Amino acid sequence: MNRPESGPRVLLKHLREVMAEALEAQEQLDKIVMHIAANMVADVCSVYVLRSDDNLELYASVGLNPDAVHEVSLKVGQGLVGTIAANARSLNLEDAQKHPAFAYLPETGEEVFNSFMGVPILRAGRALGVLVVQNKEGRIFGDVEIEALETTAMVIAELIAAGQLAGLGKQGSGLDLTRPLMLTGVPLAEGIGFGKVVLHEPRVVVTDLFNEDAQGEIERLGAALGKLRISIDGLLQRGEVTKDGEHREVLEAYRMFANDRGWIRRMEEAISNGLTAEASVEKVQSDNRARMARQSDPYLREHLHDLDDLANRLLRELMGKPHGPMDENITGDFVIVARNMGAAELLDYAGKNLRGLVLEEAAPTSHVVIVARALGIAVVGQLSDVISISESNDTIIVDGESGDVHIRPTEEVEVSYAEKVELLVRQQALYENMKNEPSLTKDGVAIDLLMNAGLLMDLPQLENVNAAGIGLFRTELQFMVAASFPRPGEQEELYRSVIKAANGKPVTFRTLDVGGDKVLPYLRSVHEENPALGWRAIRLSLDRPGLIRTQVKALLKAADGGSLKIMLPMVTEVREITRAKEIIDHEVELLKRFGHEMPTELKLGVMIEVPSLLWQLDELMAEVDFVSIGSNDLFQFIMASDRGNAKISNRFSPLSRPFLRALHQIALKADEHETEFSLCGEIAGQPLAAMALVALGYRAISMSPASLGPVKAMTLNLDKSKLEPLLLDALAKPSNDTPLLNCWRTLPILMEFRISVAFATLIRFFFAQFVRKPVPTFRIVL
């Protein structure tokens, strides 16, 4: 048969004419398959669309039995069509019936056809359907034909995404793009978030698919690539990345991809076939995302992520869109969906009806999670490919307790969560009613419940939750969110505002803790194999004394003659404290000389987070006025478990014997030396862990404001005198003995609690994890 006009470009020309006509959706789809069959000299062309019930329904066909349209369907993974959808990978077969996945559908009359070519209909790397051509004659389809089919599939994907096919097909089952989805990740911050999806890197919507001038589009692509390369080169020339380092390696990878001829060639081929520059980028990006979803090698997957990010940047260059979030489009309650993000980026959204955060990556102690927790935002992480299955303005529910994320939830799910939110409101009312009660255990032991803070927006929470003070003020957050190094006056103003807001309650200021994973964009960094163990915190401050001198001077002046508590982070040896004292004493004398009023009480403390201090406790207690355990870092260093590594972040428990023994050892030494001590890590905000801390002798613990209510509820109902001997007895047993707290004698203590629903859930988790027996029924009092 002669083919006077064929190929992708001619085919797209015909499709453009069809889409310009005023046709009903079914008629338009029928014409599209007719043109594809004619262009490719195929006996059959069919379109299968994925529906919300995981069935691929035959939506249009030329060559198959017309009565089969909208009557025949296959499950994802069933037959050749189902296999293509499941793997997002094309099949090109000379004799389809010999393939092991072949499934015969008698309704279609396809038994007379031998050759088979099927391509997934992809959007953002996600299969929305399958486009198929078949012939009676056995043959392998050529590269040009495959390219034509893939390009056409992209056009059909845009029809599906635009909702133009939504009214077709069987009743009662929507398209896959609109079906409700429930994903389960790792709960990182408690709460319920309900709103619309806001993609942190919004997907650029390409509406202009067909080009009129291929050469002109290739030139546009080249110009955008040039701008992209210049922007990357500009980033590489900036001061903070002029030397070796992880940031530079990422940018170098970006620059390599921006010059990759294979990537550019595939986009140019798509333009030559009739697509615009933007559509060609989207087509190649979608193909790469499908490869990413199939890729198990973490190294290759990471590089495909880089290529995906680069394609997003290129699309923005082509369409004149700004990089990063487009805040002006945000209205009403919303939930951010992102691969990952920095703490400063999250703060850009704060105060704008932000209700939740969903991350493909991140771990419980990631800084963005810590900041989100302080803001009272529900967070779920470690949800692979959530970006590709989310659309801007989709309804989304984030359950920060269970780790469930509902995208496009059903009405029943929405009602269920509305009831859950109402229950949480009642729970908060309970906490509100008890916030002014003295923080005493049932047997009369006073526990100071302090809060962590780091920004001015945190300060109103001090009064809202009636915290006993600020047990940890992270001074580095001011540096992390600033565009340039904060001036001495700006630092002094912040610290004075914090002291004023505390209204006489104690505030512990931790000196600058940057380096490692806390990178300041304006501070030159060096590449380190193990940044968490490297040049950071007090190490950096002592090597660059100007940093700590400026900060200490600002703190001394901000105290205005009141009391001041300064805490040094990441201390490894006692001699570091001696050096820091010399700097502080020098600044005190200097300010006195110029007539500044000094604090009436100046206390110097240390954050215990490096295990080496466990063997220097006697010398340490003699040198400082107080200590505070930074349990996040101390735990990861004792367990050799990177807190940012999602694969092992839940492998070891802070309630294990080794770690609790270390905490107990510190408490005993502090009591022996009559040194004030507290704990200010994430475990302080977990009622079960806080219960163990009280039993170990801790009388002051600092946590995020959102955690104070549940921890206070536990404190008011805890009989410390009954729990302490049981816990200490369990600690004395060998580590390979029964799990810690695996003792039914603790049940009467737990049973005495008048508890909230959240705490009841926690106790059930405790028994499931440590006792591994059914939990007896106990009364819940709201």
Side-chain angles (χ1 to χ4, degrees):
M1 187 180 294
N2 294 325
R3 280 189 286 174
E5 278 196 319
S6 64
R9 188 165 186 81
V10 173
L11 178 55
L12 284 184
K13 176 186 173 184
H14 291 312
L15 294 186
R16 180 171 55 194
E17 292 170 354
V18 170
M19 293 175 72
E21 294 181 50
L23 300 174
E24 294 293 330
Q26 185 65 58
E27 189 179 357
Q28 189 176 60
L29 201 54
D30 290 340
K31 276 200 169 187
I32 286 173
V33 295
M34 181 187 69
H35 280 296
I36 296 170
N39 180 271
M40 300 187 66
V41 195
D43 297 320
V44 173
C45 179
S46 306
V47 172
Y48 293 83
V49 177
L50 184 60
R51 301 192 67 88
S52 59
D53 56 3
D54 268 345
N55 279 304
L56 289 149
E57 183 180 326
L58 180 62
Y59 257 54
S61 180
V62 59
L64 295 183
N65 180 1
D67 293 336
V69 174
H70 297 305
E71 295 298 326
V72 168
S73 62
L74 301 99
K75 282 284 186 185
V76 173
Q78 179 189 1
L80 299 177
V81 171
T83 299
I84 293 168
N87 299 326
R89 182 178 286 177
S90 302
L91 280 178
N92 187 2
L93 305 171
E94 185 174 7
D95 189 345
Q97 298 183 33
K98 290 183 178 179
H99 192 280
F102 178 79
Y104 174 55
L105 298 175
E107 305 97 316
T108 64
E110 64 178 340
E111 66 274 11
V112 299
F113 304 107
N114 292 300
S115 57
F116 175 99
M117 177 66 202
V119 299
I121 298 171
L122 295 174
R123 188 168 190 269
R126 177 179 165 200
L128 302 182
V130 178
L131 177 60
V132 174
V133 291
Q134 295 170 273
N135 276 91
K136 293 178 181 178
E137 175 191 357
R139 71 183 184 97
I140 293 292
F141 289 87
D143 291 343
V144 173
E145 294 168 308
I146 295 171
E147 180 69 23
L149 210 59
E150 289 178 345
T151 304
T152 308
M154 178 191 168
V155 174
I156 297 173
E158 294 305 320
L159 290 177
I160 297 172
Q164 292 179 238
L165 307 186
L168 306 180
K170 295 179 180 177
Q171 296 298 315
S173 185
L175 297 183
D176 177 70
L177 200 66
T178 59
R179 70 167 168 167
L181 292 173
M182 191 196 85
L183 310 171
T184 301
V186 175
L188 300 178
E190 290 187 357
I192 305 295
F194 198 132
K196 299 294 185 181
V197 168
V198 168
L199 296 173
H200 179 52
E201 282 288 338
R203 190 174 298 127
V204 176
V205 179
V206 178
T207 55
D208 191 7
L209 301 177
F210 308 109
N211 76 59
E212 298 284 351
D213 176 9
Q215 186 57 41
E217 291 298 306
I218 289 174
E219 289 173 3
R220 283 186 64 231
L221 178 66
L225 282 166
K227 290 180 182 177
L228 184 62
R229 291 168 188 145
I230 289 171
S231 69
I232 295 170
D233 288 342
L235 290 172
L236 283 164
Q237 294 300 319
R238 285 170 56 177
E240 64 269 22
V241 289
T242 53
K243 294 185 178 180
D244 290 339
E246 195 172 342
H247 284 75
R248 185 177 185 88
E249 288 174 6
V250 171
L251 290 171
E252 289 283 9
Y254 273 31
R255 180 158 68 178
M256 178 186 71
F257 284 129
N259 289 279
D260 181 79
R261 283 305 310 166
W263 182 52
I264 298 168
R265 177 179 49 77
R266 289 195 296 276
M267 291 186 290
E268 289 176 342
E269 285 177 354
I271 292 173
S272 298
N273 290 335
L275 293 179
T276 59
E278 296 91 338
S280 72
V281 175
E282 188 175 58
K283 177 186 180 300
V284 174
Q285 181 187 32
S286 195
D287 293 342
N288 282 330
R289 280 180 171 170
R291 288 174 58 204
M292 193 190 308
R294 299 192 299 265
Q295 186 56 249
S296 58
D297 185 300
Y299 177 80
L300 293 176
R301 189 177 175 86
E302 185 68 25
H303 278 68
L304 285 168
H305 265 303
D306 290 341
L307 194 56
D308 191 55
D309 292 342
L310 194 67
N312 284 330
R313 295 180 70 88
L314 181 56
L315 277 171
R316 284 176 169 76
E317 289 287 357
L318 281 164
M319 302 184 72
K321 301 284 187 182
H323 296 288
M326 302 176 192
D327 290 354
E328 66 272 12
N329 296 327
I330 299 175
T331 57
D333 294 344
F334 67 96
V335 171
I336 299 171
V337 177
R339 181 182 170 199
N340 211 335
M341 65 192 307
E345 292 175 301
L346 178 64
L347 290 169
D348 288 338
Y349 293 96
K352 300 175 184 175
N353 298 318
L354 175 59
R355 296 293 178 257
L357 176 61
V358 177
L359 300 167
E360 289 193 349
E361 300 173 358
T365 48
S366 300
H367 291 110
V368 67
V369 175
I370 291 173
V371 171
R373 199 176 288 126
L375 294 172
I377 299 166
V379 185
V380 173
Q382 299 174 39
L383 279 169
S384 297
D385 301 318
V386 67
I387 294 173
S388 66
I389 61 178
S390 302
E391 296 284 340
S392 292
N393 291 316
D394 276 347
T395 301
I396 186 170
I397 299 173
V398 183
D399 189 332
E401 296 179 3
S402 67
D404 293 337
V405 173
H406 298 265
I407 301 172
R408 300 176 291 272
T410 63
E411 185 178 349
E412 291 78 11
V413 170
E414 289 192 24
V415 169
S416 174
Y417 270 94
E419 293 173 353
K420 190 169 184 178
V421 168
E422 184 181 348
L423 193 60
L424 288 174
V425 169
R426 293 169 62 196
Q427 180 179 299
Q428 289 302 319
L430 172 70
Y431 298 152
E432 179 70 20
N433 290 336
M434 69 173 62
K435 77 174 185 180
N436 293 320
E437 293 184 35
S439 185
L440 300 172
T441 62
K442 290 183 73 172
D443 50 337
V445 179
I447 308 297
D448 287 335
L449 301 181
L450 307 147
M451 63 170 262
N452 300 333
L455 296 165
L456 285 173
M457 68 175 62
D458 298 329
L459 301 183
Q461 294 290 348
L462 188 62
E463 183 179 349
N464 293 343
V465 299
N466 195 26
I470 298 177
L472 170 64
F473 190 86
R474 301 182 176 98
T475 62
E476 65 274 4
L477 289 185
Q478 181 194 23
F479 293 75
M480 291 170 68
V481 301
S484 59
F485 199 93
R487 296 177 182 276
E490 293 172 333
Q491 295 184 47
E492 182 184 339
E493 183 181 355
L494 171 66
Y495 306 147
R496 183 174 279 109
S497 298
V498 173
I499 293 169
K500 182 179 179 181
N503 195 26
K505 293 181 178 180
V507 180
T508 301
F509 291 95
R510 182 175 68 186
T511 59
L512 194 60
D513 184 7
V514 294
D517 57 347
K518 301 175 189 174
V519 178
L520 302 183
Y522 45 81
L523 186 67
R524 184 174 298 178
S525 59
V526 296
H527 174 68
E528 296 180 283
E529 291 297 329
N530 296 296
L533 304 177
W535 195 49
R536 54 172 287 205
I538 192 65
R539 301 169 183 180
L540 187 150
S541 295
L542 292 178
D543 288 352
R544 292 188 174 179
L547 292 174
I548 191 170
R549 279 181 181 145
T550 302
Q551 187 173 38
V552 166
K553 186 182 295 183
L555 284 165
L556 291 168
K557 292 168 72 174
D560 284 333
S563 60
L564 179 64
K565 294 178 72 176
I566 299 176
M567 181 165 63
L568 306 174
M570 197 69 181
V571 170
T572 307
E573 296 179 322
V574 172
R575 63 189 177 92
E576 292 174 315
I577 304 171
T578 305
R579 289 184 60 195
K581 274 185 173 180
E582 292 171 356
I583 293 173
I584 294 171
D585 290 343
H586 177 269
E587 294 304 317
V588 168
E589 291 303 317
L590 191 64
L591 288 174
K592 281 182 179 178
R593 195 181 309 162
F594 285 91
H596 290 282
E597 188 179 8
M598 287 297 95
T600 53
E601 181 184 44
L602 175 58
K603 289 186 177 182
L604 180 65
V606 161
M607 178 168 275
I608 299 178
E609 49 194 336
V610 180
S612 63
L613 287 182
L614 297 177
W615 291 274
Q616 304 172 71
L617 290 176
D618 288 314
E619 303 99 297
L620 173 66
M621 301 297 176
E623 284 289 327
V624 298
D625 300 303
F626 67 93
V627 295
S628 184
I629 292 82
S631 61
N632 295 350
D633 271 341
L634 183 62
F635 178 72
Q636 76 162 341
F637 294 151
I638 284 180
M639 296 300 188
S641 174
D642 179 5
R643 68 184 188 176
N645 187 331
K647 293 185 182 299
I648 58 172
S649 59
N650 295 316
R651 178 170 295 189
F652 306 106
S653 170
L655 289 176
S656 62
R657 283 184 176 83
F659 190 60
L660 289 187
R661 285 170 181 165
L663 297 182
H664 190 219
Q665 180 186 352
I666 296 168
L668 291 175
K669 280 294 181 184
D671 279 338
E672 181 184 327
H673 289 268
E674 298 183 348
T675 302
E676 179 186 332
F677 68 101
S678 63
L679 185 142
C680 59
E682 292 302 309
I683 63 170
Q686 301 164 7
L688 185 60
M691 182 171 68
L693 292 173
V694 172
L696 292 176
Y698 286 79
R699 300 295 176 263
I701 52 178
S702 190
M703 65 206 74
S704 68
S707 299
L708 253 81
V711 172
K712 189 163 191 178
M714 178 277 296
T715 303
L716 296 177
N717 291 284
L718 173 66
D719 192 328
K720 180 253 184 188
S721 63
K722 292 182 179 179
L723 178 61
E724 182 177 359
L726 296 175
L727 180 58
L728 296 182
D729 179 61
L731 277 182
K733 293 179 179 179
S735 291
N736 60 356
D737 194 11
T738 53
L740 184 61
L741 298 181
N742 185 357
C743 177
W744 280 96
R745 288 181 297 161
T746 60
L747 184 59
I749 299 166
L750 296 173
M751 294 291 287
E752 289 178 9
F753 288 150
R754 288 163 50 89
I755 56 180
S756 68
V757 171
F759 196 58
T761 304
L762 190 68
I763 292 175
R764 291 191 181 98
F765 172 78
F766 161 71
F767 275 93
Q769 289 291 106
F770 297 102
V771 181
R772 298 187 177 89
K773 293 182 181 179
V775 185
T777 302
F778 48 88
R779 186 165 58 102
I780 296 175
V781 180
L782 290 173

